[in-house]
Structure formats: C-alpha cells, structure tokens
Amino acid sequence: MKTDDRKINFNAGPGALPDVVIRRAQEAVAAYGRTGMSILELPHRSKEFIDIVDEAKARVLAFCGLDSDYEVMWMQGGGRQQFALLPMNFLPSDGRAGYLDSGHWSDEALGYAKFYGNVDIVASSADCGYTRLPQLPDLHGKDWRYLHYTTNNTIFGTQWHNIPGTDVPLTADMSSDIFCCERDYTKYDLFYAAAQKNLGIAGIALVVAKKSFLARCMRSLPPMFDYRAHAAENSVLNTANVFGIYTALLMLRWTEEEGLQNIFERNRRKAELVYNALDANPNFQPTVTVPAHRSLMNVCFKAKSPEAEQRLYALCDAAGIIGIKGHRSAG
Ligand code: PMP
C-alpha cells in the first residue's frame, strides 16, 4: 500500500508510524544502502547492522540525558517478556518487590513477578476500575529489591505525570509513552518499552538499565534471560530482529528531527483539544475521573448511549479514521 492510501490510525499498538518512517523502511526493504541486500536479509553480525545498533543506542542515551553508566539493550519478546525478566533477574524467592497497580498492564506485570518472589501491591486503583491513579503512600525505607510502575496505562487512559519518589531502585514499563515528552531518566534504575507503540514495530523491546543495578542480578540464568549477557553482547546475543531495530532507529531519527519538546507540545495540544471537546459534549464522557491523571497518549471515553456510539463509528468511518474502539477489556 502506498503511504498516501493510509487511513488515520488510532490503534494504541501497533501504533501509527510517521509516513516518512514508512517510506524510509520501504527503501531499506528494497535495498539497504550499498550492501546489495534488503534490510530483511542483512546479517546481524555485519558491520552495517552493528552501526545501526550503536547509533540507536547512542540516540537513546542522548534523548534520555544518560551516560555510559547505563546499558541500552534491544531485546526480543515484547513487553510481557520484560514483565518476567525483571523479577527473574532481580527478585530472589525470599525477596520482596513493590508494584504500583494502576491498570491492566501493571496488574499483569505484578502477576509475572509472583512466579519469582514476594510482591507488595503498594497502591492500587483496581477498586474504582482504574478510572484514576492510585494515591501513593510513602515509598521510602522499604525492603523492596525494586519498585515497578507503568508510566502510561494504555487501556484505561491514565498517565503518571510525576515520577514517584523512592529510595529503592525505580523501574518502569514505558511501553505506551516513551519519548512522548521530556523526562528525568536519571531517576530510573531500569526502564523498558515494547517497541510497537512509540518506537516502531512489534517483536522487540528497548531496555535501559544502570550498570550498577545490573550488577545486582542475583540468579544464575540461561544467557537469553540474563540482562548482563545481552548487554555484554551488544544486543546480538542471538540472531537479532534486524528490521525491528532498524525501524526503531528510523523512529529515533524522526524524533530527533521533530524535537522531543515539539512532540510533547503537540501531544499536549492534541490531548487538550480532544478532552475539551469531550467535556463539552453531552453525548460522551471521558473515563478518567481526575483530569490531572489523564493520559496525553490515550484519550479514553465512552458514549452515553448506543446511538451516540454507532453514530461516532459511522462518522469515523466516513472520515477515514480507524482503531477508535477501545481495548476489549475496557470497552
Ligand atoms: N505494557 C504496556 C503499557 C502495554 O500497553 C502493553 C500492550 N502492548 C504491554 C506492556 C504488553 O506488550 P506486549 O504485547 O509486547 O507483550
């Protein structure tokens, strides 16, 4: 399909990619640089691919304002694999970890951690159907190996706009809002993002970890599940997802071209426009009850009547808008 045949895609993930990224990816599929090969054929140990990994890594560190105290890893398996790898590497069976439960994915992440050690659900907004963020207790002086939270709750449309303060290592799932805005990444010991929303296509995840935190890994693990092995092998421990990582690099270049601050300002203005329209419209209702908790990434709302819902779908269809229906678990 030509890029100008594309509709306006509102799906959360896989998310819409900028036209220019799709065009550049298409060019690389036809032939990558002067290699005489498609990017789909490029060997994962070739110099060209190592250059892709290194540039992507350098761009991530630059965006995050991080230095060589941090490792950047491109890993396979998406978001859920990180739900498992985090406790597998850092939570011993007699240890404890703190988890904030602010939505479906936070809940799923903490469920994975229970396979490995003890989980303290520090705060939860499950009882109100995740229509707001939970209130935080004091997060200091705990015996947790780490604290985990989800920066943006994709399905329920809430987003943490402030970073929780704690004196234990802070870890985060940023799958649905990484690089949506500037953020103080030095506060985190480890964060990860499945790529298919803001960073490219499905099949890979970005993981950034402080080297001093990686040194705390306490299990003997097969290399494929050991963060230290991935860091030591520069993300090519096994046959890498070359096209996925290249697409992430194209997204990082595009983010640089647009400017992170401009992207944030655009997201803020778009969200404001949509929330204001919803607040003023008697047929619809934003689902997040506390405006300060609303996501800049996923604006979730419900129609007040089946007629309004059907009319909205018809109007979207006519306007070439797709992916407007919510997640199956939220409606
Ligand atoms: N975390 C968040 C915040 C998500 O929105 C999702 C949904 N894709 C996941 C994790 C799960 O990612 P994956 O499907 O790659 O396992």
Side-chain angles (χ1 to χ4, degrees):
M1 189 191 280
K2 293 205 310 297
T3 51
D4 51 1
D5 291 333
R6 293 170 70 213
K7 295 192 173 180
I8 303 165
N9 179 3
F10 272 87
N11 283 308
L17 293 166
D19 283 348
V20 61
V21 166
I22 297 212
R23 225 171 26 246
R24 289 170 185 165
Q26 277 177 333
E27 284 161 16
V29 168
Y32 183 67
R34 294 193 184 150
T35 59
M37 275 180 280
S38 162
I39 187 84
L40 303 177
E41 303 164 311
L42 195 70
H44 59 293
R45 302 208 185 273
S46 62
K47 172 168 181 335
E48 288 81 3
F49 180 61
I50 302 304
D51 288 346
I52 290 171
V53 172
D54 288 344
E55 183 187 333
K57 206 160 133 175
R59 285 185 182 277
V60 167
L61 289 178
F63 279 143
C64 298
L66 299 176
D67 57 20
S68 57
D69 288 346
Y70 291 79
E71 295 284 1
V72 176
M73 292 161 267
W74 299 98
M75 297 176 70
Q76 300 184 26
R80 287 173 181 82
Q81 177 148 308
Q82 298 306 317
F83 294 171
L85 291 188
L86 182 67
M88 212 187 278
N89 280 258
F90 299 106
L91 183 58
S93 52
D94 60 352
R96 316 197 69 79
Y99 276 73
L100 301 185
D101 176 26
S102 56
H104 175 94
W105 298 111
S106 323
D107 181 47
E108 198 159 321
L110 72 87
Y112 275 61
K114 286 179 183 168
F115 282 91
Y116 300 97
N118 303 293
V119 169
D120 289 339
I121 302 175
V122 178
S124 172
S125 49
D127 56 354
C128 66
Y130 299 119
T131 53
R132 49 166 295 147
L133 294 172
Q135 227 155 10
L136 292 185
D138 186 5
L139 301 169
H140 295 83
K142 308 293 181 185
D143 61 350
W144 303 322
R145 300 298 174 117
Y146 59 84
L147 174 69
H148 178 274
Y149 81 114
T150 312
T151 51
N152 185 69
N153 298 290
T154 325
I155 296 174
F156 293 98
T158 54
Q159 186 176 21
W160 295 91
H161 298 293
N162 296 311
I163 300 173
T166 181
D167 53 4
V168 301
L170 182 62
T171 69
D173 173 4
M174 300 187 185
S175 294
S176 58
D177 71 351
I178 193 151
F179 304 141
C180 79
C181 54
E182 285 176 338
R183 188 178 258 150
D184 185 358
Y185 291 93
T186 62
K187 296 260 195 282
Y188 299 91
D189 281 73
L190 184 148
F191 56 91
Y192 58 88
Q196 66 269 22
K197 295 165 196 303
N198 290 19
L199 260 186
I201 60 171
I204 55 164
L206 166 68
V207 182
V208 180
K210 224 182 217 173
K211 286 178 181 168
S212 57
F213 185 58
L214 288 184
R216 294 193 193 183
C217 174
M218 44 72 230
R219 273 202 182 89
S220 171
L221 291 166
M224 207 44 201
F225 304 124
D226 188 327
Y227 284 120
R228 293 165 304 180
H230 286 272
E233 295 293 334
N234 198 26
S235 301
V236 279
L237 177 66
N238 70 328
T239 312
N241 181 338
V242 170
F243 186 58
I245 297 173
Y246 181 64
T247 313
L249 173 60
L250 292 178
M251 278 302 293
L252 291 165
R253 287 182 185 157
W254 174 84
T255 306
E256 170 86 34
E257 285 159 17
E258 297 290 313
L260 214 48
Q261 189 54 35
N262 295 334
I263 289 177
F264 169 59
E265 196 40 44
R266 214 155 62 205
N267 287 335
R268 199 192 57 70
R269 280 204 313 271
K270 276 195 293 189
E272 189 176 74
L273 201 69
V274 180
Y275 284 122
N276 283 347
L278 287 170
D279 283 334
N281 191 316
N283 293 311
F284 299 99
Q285 187 174 18
T287 51
V288 178
T289 52
V290 181
H293 297 177
R294 287 173 173 174
S295 170
L296 295 182
M297 297 280 95
N298 310 75
V299 178
C300 294
F301 61 95
K302 285 203 158 102
K304 288 185 183 164
S305 68
E307 295 73 35
E309 185 170 341
Q310 290 315 315
R311 175 107 182 98
L312 175 72
Y313 293 148
L315 286 171
C316 287
D317 198 35
I321 291 173
I322 50 172
I324 205 81
K325 284 186 188 180
H327 190 272
R328 58 194 142 89
S329 68

